[in-house]
Amino acid sequence: MRPFGLPRLITSAYAGRMYARRRHAYFAMMGTCIALFVLAWGVVRLWSIPVAVGMCVVAMVIPPVAAMVANRRGPDDRWWDDPSGDSKSDEWWDELDGKRRPRQ
């Protein structure tokens, strides 16, 4: 849903940057996870198995954190104050938030 009153061109460009940033962070974290697993059992286990196991434990924590990072909303994401389409509900929430909408 695009924010109230903004043209589609502006919102789609913003959404593209926002999603690209999240995607880059997600893929960087998942790449790190795969690299840790491969290095742990391909290289590090030859010198120290406990270190290799520790690397795998760290790698196991990364995917849930990457999912949270990829799905979180940024500080500029204004999803909570988009109009819902129900004018009575929007008026009620605006009153609670202390906002006043211009009358049509």
Side-chain angles (χ1 to χ4, degrees):
M1 177 182 285
R2 68 186 162 109
F4 182 73
L6 291 177
R8 183 174 302 276
L9 178 65
I10 293 172
T11 58
S12 64
Y14 170 73
R17 285 192 318 268
M18 175 181 58
Y19 294 131
R21 183 176 53 236
R22 290 185 200 162
R23 256 194 332 265
H24 291 155
Y26 176 80
F27 285 121
M29 292 178 80
M30 292 306 289
T32 303
C33 176
I34 291 170
L36 281 172
F37 272 121
V38 169
L39 286 173
W41 295 113
V43 178
V44 176
R45 74 171 169 86
L46 300 173
W47 288 280
S48 174
I49 289 182
V51 172
V53 170
M55 288 172 69
C56 286
V57 169
V58 170
M60 287 175 17
V61 173
I62 292 174
V65 173
M68 287 185 271
V69 166
N71 291 316
R72 74 175 173 85
R73 299 229 182 232
D76 296 333
D77 296 344
R78 304 284 301 193
W79 56 271
W80 61 88
D81 59 354
D82 286 344
S84 67
D86 179 15
S87 61
K88 191 146 185 93
S89 173
D90 290 340
E91 288 175 21
W92 185 74
W93 282 107
D94 288 344
E95 181 181 335
L96 284 177
D97 292 338
K99 292 191 292 185
R100 299 191 58 68
R101 284 189 188 264
R103 301 259 175 187
Q104 276 100 357

